[in-house]
Amino acid sequence: MYFPILQSQFLLLNCLGALSIPLTALLASMILSRRESKLRALLAGQLSAFACALFALAVFMLHPQELSFAPIAGLFELKFDLLSLTLALLITFISSIVLFFSERYLVGDSRQTAFMQHLVVLTSFAAFLSASDNLILCLICWHGISLTLWRLVGLRDGSGAARRTVIAHHILSDAAFVLAACLIVAVCGTANLTELADRAALLGEQMLFKAYIPFSALTVSSLLLVISLSIKSALFPFHRWLLATLEAPTPLSGLLHAGVVNVSAVMAARLWPVISGSSQCLVVWGLMAAVSVVAGALVMSTQADVKRKLVFSTVSQMGFMCLQCATGAIPAAIFHLLAHGLFKCHLFLQSGSAVSEGLMKRQWGQPSPADWRRPQTLMVLACVMSMVLPVCYWLLRGSSGESGAVVSCIIAAAAIGCSMPSLQRSGLFLVVLSGLASLLMIEISGTVEHWLKEGLATMALPVGGLLFYSVCAFALVGTLLYAMRDRSFGRAMYVHALNGFYVDEIVGLFAGRRPAAPRRVVAEKR
């Protein structure tokens, strides 16, 4: 009789511990006088939070039950479900690794303690955002991430321009979020996200701008949310703030690319009843994401700097994640969030070793031809797996094709061939094969059938059609780059991609700054 009650209390205690222990350790680090004691308090608090998140997820998996905690009704409301517990485990795990890495990476730096304290604040805002069940609390955490990131970038001397770039983008994102939140609360009469799912239909009944162009409150709020999420995700061309964060130490990049740019998928999952109400906004979001995928992959393949290459890789990956959100594959986007966070954090923390390895290879010779065949083998395996997994799932589920796993495999298969280095190490056959495999999986998932039946009848572009056109565009870009790589078009595209398609120069013209000279590429004599 008492076991379920004790189990619920144990689950709630661990959930609250995962959120509150890092803040308690932060307060202790401010009170303690010795630097070593401050660092130990921060590290011990983060490890304790990770243990609490692990216990909470284990208890939830054994006996699933959703819990709500609202000490301040209408403002401070938390919801602990599978999504929030999984994200809490990811955030505490990555932040623990980054904090231990920072302790050794910043040895002798006078700002080591302040840097690690700001990291704890940043991860705490992200953890509360993932567990929040209140729109106002989400807004507070959303803006708190912006301010903390601005402070972290400004810890290094001479980072004034980077700080201005970061805060300008994030203030624009926060402003769009504030306007959307005010509109949603005013029309729906609630800030609780659980109740909002039942009252989202009220947004479609309220019309705005009747004297000019009638837009429903649902369309306006969805558009504002899409703009805010796109900026926070560093989609092209809003990626300049992500480049500006390279002024900060490497541990910040590891945490930033693993847990901050990904929060858009979390908010898309929480606010999906509002965002999904406007198909036009989803199409706009999907088009922006598709452009970010291609532009990020092209610019990434031309960069020589390791950290810049990883930044543009994140721009491309966030394009994939937002495309998954725009097509309704929220579970696939959450899985992408988890996988990308772990992988990209590892890459950033290993970037120094990668540079040393590159110098060693340059000093002692190039890799053997066998090393160059490995990416081609991996591409073949990726093509095969991307074809086999959706087919197996389709056979097991009776060709329903409604799961986000199928859409995730479609997008993953379409991504093959969008990068110049992989195209140079593979043949045209693999590029065409990946495109045909992607179209085949779309046909299996039933997206084209839905598009033909409903999209043509209403003469509108549905989300399924967006996915179809995106896959075709990826295949076309990959094939075109492979066919034109040795011609003037390919060389010109390389120069444009090397300069980031001149986004900084265009922004500089509007800001009144003198644009920097584009990078020149000198052909090497063979």
Side-chain angles (χ1 to χ4, degrees):
M1 178 178 179
Y2 295 101
F3 181 73
I5 300 177
L6 294 177
Q7 181 183 348
S8 301
Q9 292 178 351
F10 181 75
L11 177 59
L12 181 60
L13 182 62
N14 281 278
C15 293
L16 295 178
L19 296 176
S20 60
I21 290 178
L23 296 179
T24 305
L26 177 64
L27 181 61
S29 67
M30 295 179 179
I31 298 175
L32 296 174
S33 57
R34 296 182 56 189
R35 187 174 62 88
E36 292 79 6
S37 301
K38 294 175 180 289
L39 299 181
R40 289 179 182 176
L42 293 174
L43 296 176
Q46 205 62 47
L47 282 179
S48 301
F50 170 67
C52 290
L54 183 60
F55 287 141
L57 185 60
V59 173
F60 183 87
M61 296 302 292
L62 292 176
H63 301 281
Q65 55 177 330
E66 295 185 1
L67 297 177
S68 298
F69 180 74
I72 304 177
L75 177 61
F76 194 82
E77 299 174 334
L78 302 176
K79 181 180 181 180
F80 301 109
D81 52 4
L82 180 60
L83 174 61
S84 60
L85 294 180
T86 304
L87 293 176
L89 181 63
L90 174 71
I91 293 172
T92 53
F93 175 70
I94 291 180
S95 59
S96 300
I97 294 177
V98 172
L99 282 180
F100 276 93
F101 184 88
S102 302
E103 183 189 18
R104 300 182 59 186
Y105 185 85
L106 298 175
V107 170
D109 196 326
S110 59
R111 292 156 295 187
Q112 181 188 34
T113 304
F115 180 80
M116 295 178 64
Q117 289 174 342
H118 281 81
L119 286 184
V120 172
V121 175
L122 186 64
T123 56
S124 296
F125 276 126
F128 275 99
L129 180 66
S130 63
S132 174
D133 196 30
N134 186 276
L135 192 57
I136 300 177
L137 180 59
C138 290
L139 180 60
I140 295 173
C141 296
W142 194 263
H143 187 58
I145 290 175
S146 303
L147 292 180
T148 309
L149 184 60
W150 171 67
R151 291 291 303 271
L152 275 168
V153 175
L155 288 178
R156 177 170 293 182
D157 297 334
S159 58
R163 294 181 66 185
R164 289 190 294 270
T165 301
V166 170
I167 198 61
H169 284 78
H170 283 269
I171 286 297
L172 180 60
S173 175
D174 298 345
F177 198 103
V178 168
L179 293 177
C182 293
L183 183 59
I184 292 172
V185 174
V187 175
C188 296
T190 180
N192 186 273
L193 298 182
T194 303
E195 297 177 358
L196 186 62
D198 299 328
R199 302 188 185 184
L202 298 175
L203 292 169
E205 302 173 359
Q206 182 71 29
M207 301 302 295
L208 303 175
F209 311 111
K210 295 182 180 179
Y212 302 97
I213 302 177
F215 284 110
S216 65
L218 182 63
T219 302
V220 175
S221 59
S222 299
L223 182 60
L224 291 172
L225 289 175
V226 165
I227 294 174
S228 179
L229 299 182
S230 299
I231 297 175
K232 214 76 167 185
S233 296
L235 293 185
F236 190 89
F238 303 115
H239 64 283
R240 295 179 63 249
W241 73 265
L242 198 58
L243 284 172
T245 58
L246 294 180
E247 296 287 340
T250 301
L252 174 62
S253 299
L255 183 62
L256 179 64
H257 291 251
V260 174
V261 295
N262 296 328
V263 296
S264 295
V266 180
M267 292 310 303
R270 297 298 189 191
L271 297 172
W272 182 247
V274 177
I275 300 177
S276 61
S278 176
S279 59
Q280 296 87 350
C281 295
L282 290 179
V283 170
V284 171
W285 197 14
L287 291 176
M288 292 177 59
V291 171
S292 183
V293 168
V294 177
L298 293 179
V299 178
M300 175 199 68
S301 61
T302 62
Q303 300 300 310
D305 184 83
V306 174
K307 293 179 68 174
R308 288 180 64 90
K309 184 182 290 290
L310 293 178
V311 165
F312 283 104
S313 172
T314 298
V315 172
S316 180
Q317 291 298 319
M318 290 302 99
F320 282 122
M321 188 191 71
C322 292
L323 184 58
Q324 289 170 325
C325 292
T327 52
I330 298 297
I334 297 300
F335 175 78
H336 196 152
L337 181 157
L338 300 174
H340 176 264
L342 294 172
F343 181 63
K344 192 55 65 72
C345 180
H346 169 74
L347 288 182
F348 264 102
L349 298 185
Q350 289 290 107
S351 59
S353 301
V355 173
S356 300
E357 183 180 354
L359 294 176
M360 292 293 293
K361 288 183 178 180
R362 181 178 300 180
Q363 181 178 359
W364 299 102
Q366 296 294 329
S368 61
D371 295 335
W372 293 99
R373 298 192 194 100
R374 190 174 302 170
Q376 185 173 356
T377 305
L378 293 177
M379 283 189 64
V380 174
L381 293 177
C383 288
V384 173
M385 293 300 294
S386 61
M387 292 174 62
V388 170
L389 290 179
V391 173
C392 293
Y393 182 84
W394 174 65
L395 293 175
L396 293 175
R397 293 295 299 270
S399 69
S400 62
E402 296 296 333
S403 173
V406 178
V407 182
S408 180
C409 293
I410 293 171
I411 298 175
I416 300 174
C418 284
S419 134
M420 290 182 179
S422 62
L423 288 174
Q424 293 175 356
R425 302 173 189 175
S426 62
L428 182 61
F429 173 75
L430 287 179
V431 178
V432 177
L433 180 63
S434 63
L436 293 178
S438 304
L439 296 179
L440 175 63
M441 285 181 286
I442 291 181
E443 181 67 25
I444 292 174
S445 65
T447 306
V448 174
E449 181 180 0
H450 176 76
W451 172 50
L452 292 175
K453 287 184 178 180
E454 299 185 6
L456 296 180
T458 58
M459 298 301 293
L461 180 65
V463 178
L466 172 64
L467 180 61
F468 174 78
Y469 286 125
S470 299
V471 173
C472 292
F474 296 157
L476 178 62
V477 169
T479 305
L480 183 64
L481 289 176
Y482 179 83
M484 299 292 185
R485 68 187 189 279
D486 294 330
R487 300 185 180 181
S488 58
F489 174 81
R491 292 190 291 269
M493 183 60 66
Y494 178 85
V495 175
H496 299 328
L498 180 65
N499 290 277
F501 296 103
Y502 311 104
V503 173
D504 290 336
E505 286 74 13
I506 295 174
V507 174
L509 289 177
F510 284 101
R513 299 193 307 267
R514 182 178 181 181
R519 303 181 184 181
R520 298 181 178 180
V521 179
V522 181
E524 297 181 358
K525 296 182 179 180
R526 298 186 178 179

